[in-house]
Amino acid sequence: MLIFVGLPFLAVLLWFFLRFQVRALTWMFPRSLGRRVAMVLLTSLTVFGFFCLGGIAGYGETSHRLSIAFIVCLAPISACLGIIRTWRGSSASRYPSALREALKKPA
């Protein structure tokens, strides 16, 4: 079960946090690094906090331990990696020229 379900889920989760989220937040908040970091923290807390509550509330001892481990270990790791990637990906040079032109215009 871990190999057939867990590994693809981990791959999608890593893709979301390390690639998609950074690009989407740079598009949504092109001038505000603080808002992007806040959204990374909110997303990490939502994914691991909300979705791990089911394992904490029930489904046995193994599910309880895995949920606690995910909240304690993976949530901070994903938040830190997301913040680092957001910080490093803050330049608009990776995006189309239309976005660069929009950034040059005064608000």
Side-chain angles (χ1 to χ4, degrees):
M1 184 71 149
L2 179 64
I3 292 171
F4 295 115
V5 177
L7 292 178
F9 177 75
L10 180 64
V12 169
L13 195 65
L14 286 173
W15 174 80
F16 174 77
F17 278 113
L18 299 179
R19 299 282 308 213
F20 179 75
Q21 183 182 34
V22 174
R23 289 184 180 177
L25 291 177
T26 303
W27 177 75
M28 288 171 50
F29 307 113
R31 295 183 183 172
S32 177
L33 181 62
R35 287 182 182 178
R36 290 193 303 262
V37 169
M39 288 299 292
V40 166
L41 293 174
L42 182 63
T43 304
S44 294
L45 289 174
T46 301
V47 167
F48 291 104
F50 178 75
F51 291 110
C52 288
L53 285 178
I56 292 173
Y59 303 111
E61 186 65 27
T62 304
S63 177
H64 180 77
R65 287 184 183 176
L66 283 173
S67 294
I68 295 294
F70 286 165
I71 290 173
V72 171
C73 296
L74 290 181
I77 290 171
S78 69
C80 290
L81 287 175
I83 290 170
I84 290 168
R85 288 283 299 180
T86 299
W87 199 293
R88 286 180 53 209
S90 63
S91 71
S93 62
R94 300 179 189 176
Y95 299 97
S97 60
L99 178 60
R100 277 186 263 140
E101 292 299 321
L103 290 174
K104 289 180 184 177
K105 293 180 184 176

